[in-house]
Structure formats: C-alpha cells, structure tokens
C-alpha cells in the first residue's frame, strides 16, 4: 500500500487526472426541468409530425389552377422592356457615332494645323527656324582628340573625375 501512495505522490499528473475524474462524477446533479420549456423530442418524431402537416395541407388546397393570365402579363411586360432597351441602345449608338465623327473632324483639323506649322518652320529663310550645326562621326572623333591635345596634361587632372 505504501508503494501505491508513493507512486501517486511521485506522479503529479496522475493526481490531477484523478481529481478531475472525481469532480466530474460528483459535480453532476440532475437539474429540474423548467415547466415552461417543451419536452425534448427525437428527430424522427419531429419529421413524422412535419410530414403529417404537409399531407394535411396538400389535401386541403386541392389542385392549383394554371396561371395563364399571369404568364401573358409577364410576357407583355418583357416585350415592353426589350423594346425600351433596344430604343435606348439605338440612341446611345447614334450618339457615339456622332461623337466619333466630331472627334475625327477635330483630329483632321489639328493635323492640318500641325502640318502647316511644320511647313512654316522648315522654311530655311525663316528667322524662327535655324538649322543648327550637324556633326558627323569623323568630326566628333576629331573634336575629342583636339580636346586631349589642347587641354591640360593628364597628370595635372584630378583622378576623381576620371573614375566616374
């Protein structure tokens, strides 16, 4: 018996488990039912009651009349809606075409104006337009060589600028 007690004292986890089991067994008390709450039913009983109610409802209603007028009214309304949307779409298409033509005219006008300006600027006698100097590959190479020849000696230039 002493070995049994020593075993439990050396294992605190087992003590916690035993205390939990004892409290759960002793802590359960039967709660009195509240008279206002309905008694709990099994799901099979609930399903049988619902099926019985559905069968009674079907027997009382009888056959449903065919809603012919309602369908005709909906068809007429659908036709009206289709006509309205078609008219609206046609109006929008006409407006878009008109705007496209206006845009094309404006673009042609701007292009003609730009062509007129470029023809005026391209005039060699114009004081606004002067043709600048043009360098070829050979002239650029000669310029670099002459800057090295005429510039300060390489030894006197700073090294910081050449590393960049």
């Amino acid at each position: 018996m002493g070995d049994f007690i020593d075993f439990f004292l050396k294992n605190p986890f087992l003590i916690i488990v035993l205390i939990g089991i004892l409290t759960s067994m002793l802590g359960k008390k039967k709660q009195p039912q509240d008279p206002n709450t309905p008694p709990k039913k099994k799901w099979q009983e609930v399903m049988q009651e619902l099926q019985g109610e559905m069968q009674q409802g079907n027997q009382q209603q009888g056959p449903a009349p065919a809603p012919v007028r309602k369908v005709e009214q909906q068809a007429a309304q659908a036709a009206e809606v289709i006509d309205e949307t078609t008219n609206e779409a046609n109006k929008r298409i006409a407006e878009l075409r008109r705007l496209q033509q206006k845009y094309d005219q404006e673009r042609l006008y701007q292009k003609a104006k730009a062509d007129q300006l470029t023809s005026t600027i391209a005039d060699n006698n114009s004081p606004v337009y002067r043709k600048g100097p043009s360098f070829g590959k050979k002239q650029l190479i000669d310029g670099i060589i002459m800057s090295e020849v005429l510039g300060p000696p390489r030894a006197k230039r700073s090294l910081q600028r050449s590393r960049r």
Side-chain angles (χ1 to χ4, degrees), residues 127-143:
V128 176
Y129 177 75
R130 289 187 202 148
K131 193 171 184 179
S134 62
F135 298 107
K137 191 174 183 181
K138 178 132 176 64
Q139 286 93 6
L140 287 176
I141 293 172
D142 290 341

Side-chain angles (χ1 to χ4, degrees), residues 54-164:
M54 287 177 62
Q55 288 174 356
Q56 288 175 357
N58 289 340
Q59 290 172 357
Q60 291 175 358
Q61 287 180 355
V68 174
R69 288 186 181 175
K70 197 173 193 180
V71 171
E72 290 174 354
Q73 290 174 352
Q74 289 176 350
Q77 289 175 352
E80 290 175 10
V81 170
I82 289 172
D83 290 341
E84 289 175 6
T85 54
T86 305
N87 291 338
E88 184 73 23
N90 289 337
K91 287 178 184 178
R92 288 185 181 180
I93 289 171
E95 181 69 17
L96 287 173
R97 286 183 180 155
R98 187 184 63 78
L99 289 173
Q100 181 68 31
Q101 287 176 351
K102 187 177 179 182
Y103 171 75
D104 290 341
Q105 289 174 353
E106 183 68 26
R107 188 171 48 89
L108 289 174
Y109 173 74
Q110 293 294 333
K111 186 176 180 184
K113 194 174 179 181
D115 289 343
Q116 183 183 10
L117 286 174
T118 55
S119 67
T120 305
I121 290 174
D123 186 17
N124 290 335
N125 298 329
S126 172
V128 176
Y129 177 75
R130 289 187 202 148
K131 193 171 184 179
S134 62
F135 298 107
K137 191 174 183 181
K138 178 132 176 64
Q139 286 93 6
L140 287 176
I141 293 172
D142 290 341
I144 292 172
I145 292 171
M146 291 306 291
S147 70
E148 290 292 327
V149 170
L150 297 175
R154 180 76 179 135
K156 290 191 176 182
R157 285 190 235 161
S158 70
L159 296 175
Q160 293 291 337
R161 203 171 47 179
S162 65
R163 288 184 182 167
R164 288 184 184 178

Side-chain angles (χ1 to χ4, degrees), residues 26-44:
L26 297 176
K28 287 187 179 180
K29 293 181 182 177
K30 206 166 202 184
Q31 297 176 354
Q33 283 192 353
D34 203 9
N36 295 334
T37 60
K40 293 183 179 179
K41 296 180 181 179
K42 293 183 179 180
W43 67 271
Q44 291 94 352

Side-chain angles (χ1 to χ4, degrees), residues 2-15:
D3 293 334
F4 189 67
I5 294 173
D6 287 337
F7 176 72
F8 280 112
L9 291 176
K10 289 181 182 178
N11 293 318
F13 181 71
L14 288 177
I15 294 174

